[in-house]
Amino acid sequence: MVTNALGIYEKALPRGLSWEQTFDLVHELGYNFLEFSVDESDERLARLDWTEHDRARFRDAMWRTHSRINTMMLSGHRRFPLGSKDPEVREKALDMMRKAIDLAVDLGIRNIQLAGYDVYYEPKTLLSREYFVENLRKCVDMAAKKLVMLSIETMDDPFINSLDKVTYYKSQVRSPWLQAYPDVGNLTAWPTNDVGREIESNIDNIVAVHLKDTKPVGETSKGVFKRVPFGEGTVDFEACLRIFKRLGYQGSYTVEMWTDESPDPVAEVTRAKKMFDGLFDVVGIEQEPIAGIGEY
């Protein structure tokens, strides 16, 4: 029987904890792993420049708590996009990827989620698209040399908002080290997506899945892609999970949520876990056991 790991996004957990306390909390809440964030903030981008001592302390905390990091969410390319018209920004984006790959190797992270933006804060053009593809090739070459997977997330942005588009860009950059990381919330929010067919047609490329609720894009709405409480959006989680189960999906799932505005983050994350435990039971997905002493 297939078992799947269920992780929790780092930004769902309370801030101010030590890494060891964070990893302990992940297990206490019933999750198998933590998804590590390198976003566009100066604070998290600085992780790319961690010293050997910083990395060793982080690894020690993981090992002492019998933890692991399956995925790094590298969303810092929103600020420094691969498709920027500015050559210095493009070089910064490539340097970020170089450092992210080295950090992943040092921390034992297997998969880096690559945000599917050509540009985010700049106008989109045919040239921004071309820069993105050219630099995506360079990123994949860097990752392949270190045996690190890059997976493109389906986004809150029309540039890559479907699995079909991820597969198309894979046809332009052919490599087993470039795969897909669908966000079922983002997929559902775009009315042009046939979510079931998207998953079925592209299952061979899917290595990780984000579980997040969203509200749809419409004629008068840009959609809501973040901080939608589970159950208040339009994602049919049971249907999506049934499709993955039927297709024999073997990768991990990550609950993506933000609790920085919550008075009780632990309670929110606990509710999310209870909800997905119930859905896993209904669908017949078996979650990987929580690691104990000597287990990873």
Side-chain angles (χ1 to χ4, degrees):
M1 179 184 290
V2 174
T3 61
N4 300 101
L6 179 65
I8 185 69
Y9 185 35
E10 180 187 341
K11 292 184 182 180
L13 300 177
R15 295 177 67 91
L17 302 179
S18 68
W19 283 117
E20 191 161 335
Q21 289 170 326
T22 297
F23 290 130
D24 280 338
L25 181 59
V26 169
H27 288 324
E28 289 168 14
L29 293 171
Y31 293 91
N32 299 111
F33 66 92
L34 179 75
E35 182 165 75
F36 186 77
S37 171
V38 178
D39 63 18
E40 59 188 311
S41 68
D42 289 339
E43 175 190 0
R44 285 195 167 94
L45 285 175
R47 294 176 175 182
L48 299 176
D49 294 309
W50 273 357
T51 65
E52 288 186 9
H53 177 67
D54 294 329
R55 296 170 194 224
R57 287 180 60 194
F58 186 91
R59 287 196 306 268
D60 288 345
M62 278 199 298
W63 294 342
R64 282 194 299 270
T65 57
H66 310 285
S67 301
R68 71 178 191 267
I69 305 286
N70 275 16
T71 50
M72 176 193 299
M73 192 171 176
L74 181 61
S75 53
H77 282 131
R78 280 168 57 118
R79 180 175 169 189
F80 300 102
L82 292 166
S84 175
K85 63 183 178 182
D86 185 337
E88 292 185 3
V89 172
R90 296 197 302 275
E91 187 53 46
K92 171 72 172 179
L94 290 172
D95 188 52
M96 283 170 50
M97 181 57 77
R98 247 179 243 113
K99 291 178 177 181
I101 292 166
D102 287 341
L103 183 62
V105 170
D106 288 346
L107 302 184
I109 299 173
R110 299 157 178 79
N111 179 24
I112 297 175
Q113 174 258 308
L114 176 67
Y117 303 119
D118 55 344
V119 291
Y120 189 78
Y121 298 112
E122 300 177 24
K124 296 176 181 298
T125 65
L126 182 59
L127 188 56
S128 67
R129 175 189 182 278
E130 180 58 24
Y131 283 144
F132 172 82
V133 177
E134 290 175 5
N135 285 324
L136 180 61
R137 170 81 271 171
K138 295 174 185 177
C139 290
V140 172
D141 288 346
M142 287 188 278
K145 288 181 174 63
K146 301 291 179 75
L147 304 186
V148 172
M149 181 71 70
L150 300 185
S151 52
I152 300 175
E153 185 177 25
T154 53
M155 303 308 299
D156 55 348
D157 176 274
F159 183 68
I160 299 181
N161 60 359
S162 69
L163 283 165
D164 286 349
K165 288 182 179 179
V166 175
T167 297
Y168 176 77
Y169 284 104
K170 274 179 57 64
S171 76
Q172 303 303 300
V173 182
R174 295 180 178 273
S175 172
W177 300 101
L178 179 65
Q179 297 295 346
Y181 194 148
D183 180 313
V184 296
N186 293 346
L187 278 178
T188 301
W190 294 98
T192 52
N193 288 337
D194 179 341
V195 175
R197 190 204 61 78
E198 284 271 324
I199 296 169
E200 292 163 348
S201 299
N202 297 282
I203 190 63
D204 291 344
N205 301 328
I206 296 173
V207 294
V209 174
H210 264 154
L211 301 172
K212 181 185 73 180
D213 218 344
T214 54
K215 295 184 179 181
V217 175
E219 292 184 3
T220 60
S221 170
K222 295 181 179 180
V224 184
F225 291 90
K226 286 186 177 182
R227 295 182 173 85
V228 177
F230 289 110
E232 295 185 16
T234 58
V235 177
D236 190 334
F237 289 105
E238 181 179 341
C240 290
L241 291 170
R242 283 189 179 279
I243 295 167
F244 284 116
K245 173 71 163 53
R246 171 170 57 82
L247 296 173
Y249 169 68
Q250 295 176 305
S252 62
Y253 297 96
T254 299
V255 175
E256 185 180 16
M257 55 190 297
W258 294 259
T259 60
D260 51 308
E261 298 175 357
S262 170
D264 193 346
V266 171
E268 286 203 30
V269 175
T270 299
R271 282 194 294 272
K273 180 61 166 58
K274 183 178 180 180
M275 187 191 90
F276 284 109
D277 280 348
L279 286 169
F280 276 27
D281 287 344
V282 167
V283 171
I285 294 174
E286 182 174 340
Q287 184 184 339
E288 176 188 309
I290 304 302
I293 300 299
E295 297 176 350
Y296 293 91

